Amino acid sequence: MENEAIRQLAEQIKTSSRVVALTGAGISQESGVPTFRGKDGLWQNFRAEELATPDAFNRDPVLVWQWYDWRRGLIKPLKPNSGHHALVNLEKRVQYFTLVTQNVDGLHRAAGSENPIEMHGTLWRVRCLECKKIFENRDVPIKILPKCEACGGLLRPHVVWFGESLDEKILHTIYTHLQRAQVMLIVGTSGAVQPAASFGIVAKRAGAFVAELNRSNTPQSPLFDLSIQGKAGELLPQLVEHVGR
Ligand code: APR
């Protein structure tokens, strides 16, 4: 069954020039990156409100930086998996391919994706609260509390926290691609967090063929043209194989 659905999706991609892929934590799960809401997910073991909000950081920046330092240390040695690499290969077979990721682990870039739209930011950049400068920073461990080399201000992770809005320019770019997409892949996301959770229906309303690839069904599965169950690291290489040269 899954093979038939993969074949059907590949046919859609072969006859399209504009494909958008949206990824979530599920695509990095096979690399060893904890998801957020799975049984071993981060939000089962930590309270997001205490760690991933501006109030949490204002209240206790040391605690928040200790948690991000732990995540950076955990993720730094991890490698992209066959799912990340398959999307790099798919990018080469599609005329206009846009990758939007909710992930902050940097694994799409590490796999060689040209220009992933990291809509929730990345663990590997920090931002100065004073002068707003953004820096690459891969120090593990990171000095707590890290200070801006330009102005001495306090640095924060350059990620989008709960309660914060996304960069308007990034959102505009994403919606432009969604409106033009002929095919959209939604890979490894629970569809629990907006605005990413609406991207699939936005693309569908604009006429795209939308396929969800996920280990399990999600509440959004019935909304899409295809909902293919399986591991991203297995389904995506199969898809690329069927898309062919
Ligand atoms: N292959 C495919 N899908 C998988 C795999 C896998 N190997 N492993 C897990 N999944 C699926 C799960 O079934 C689930 O639907 O990936 C999804 C992970 O869901 P979440 O943990 O909620 O992660 P995500 O959807 O990316 O969360 C969105 O929430 O906490 C915020 O900012 C954070 O970007 C994150 C956002």
Side-chain angles (χ1 to χ4, degrees):
M1 171 53 193
E2 294 315 0
N3 268 342
E4 184 41 45
I6 286 286
R7 226 190 305 279
Q8 188 187 343
L9 178 54
E11 286 311 309
Q12 289 289 334
I13 292 174
K14 279 183 197 173
T15 55
S16 300
S17 56
R18 295 180 181 281
V19 175
V20 175
L22 169 68
T23 63
I27 198 168
S28 295
Q29 184 267 335
E30 290 157 84
S31 293
V33 180
T35 62
F36 290 95
R37 295 168 183 86
K39 58 185 180 325
D40 57 348
L42 284 178
W43 302 144
Q44 306 309 320
N45 303 312
F46 297 96
R47 289 177 49 73
E49 309 73 55
E50 286 172 6
L51 296 163
T53 66
D55 290 348
F57 190 73
N58 294 332
R59 197 169 45 244
D60 190 346
V62 169
L63 173 69
V64 174
W65 262 118
Q66 283 170 336
W67 186 62
Y68 275 92
D69 186 40
W70 169 77
R71 285 180 69 190
R72 290 158 55 106
L74 177 77
I75 291 172
K76 187 164 184 178
L78 302 183
K79 300 278 177 258
N81 64 61
S82 50
H84 297 102
H85 290 298
L87 288 182
V88 175
N89 290 327
L90 191 60
E91 189 166 358
K92 293 176 183 135
R93 289 163 173 73
V94 171
Q95 193 176 0
Y96 302 103
F97 183 86
T98 304
L99 173 59
V100 181
T101 187
Q102 300 172 87
N103 301 340
V104 295
D105 56 33
L107 290 180
H108 282 300
R109 280 187 194 285
S113 288
E114 300 274 309
N115 177 26
I117 300 177
E118 296 168 317
M119 61 180 285
H120 290 164
T122 172
L123 289 174
W124 307 115
R125 283 203 185 128
V126 293
R127 181 169 85 232
C128 179
L129 289 177
E130 301 306 324
C131 67
K132 310 299 178 213
K133 276 200 174 65
I134 297 168
F135 305 91
E136 282 286 323
N137 178 305
R138 291 182 176 274
D139 300 346
V140 168
I142 192 168
K143 182 185 167 308
I144 294 175
L145 296 164
K147 295 293 170 46
C148 173
E149 61 196 44
C151 78
L154 177 60
L155 295 171
R156 59 163 278 179
H158 185 53
V159 299
V160 179
W161 280 329
F162 289 104
E164 294 187 315
S165 47
L166 274 71
D167 179 302
E168 280 303 315
K169 284 195 299 299
I170 289 178
L171 269 184
H172 177 72
T173 302
I174 292 171
Y175 283 112
T176 304
H177 288 297
L178 294 175
Q179 292 298 338
R180 295 180 185 159
Q182 292 163 292
V183 176
M184 181 172 182
L185 308 178
I186 301 176
V187 185
T189 181
S190 61
V193 170
Q194 295 295 355
S198 305
F199 290 170
I201 204 63
V202 166
K204 181 129 185 63
R205 284 212 185 107
F209 183 92
V210 181
E212 179 188 59
L213 283 67
N214 195 306
R215 270 192 101 152
S216 50
N217 263 320
T218 71
Q220 299 200 316
S221 300
L223 301 175
F224 303 135
D225 298 282
L226 281 176
S227 175
I228 308 174
Q229 287 193 32
K231 296 167 85 171
E234 291 168 9
L235 293 178
L236 287 170
Q238 287 169 23
L239 177 64
V240 172
E241 196 185 314
H242 284 296
V243 169
R245 296 268 151 260

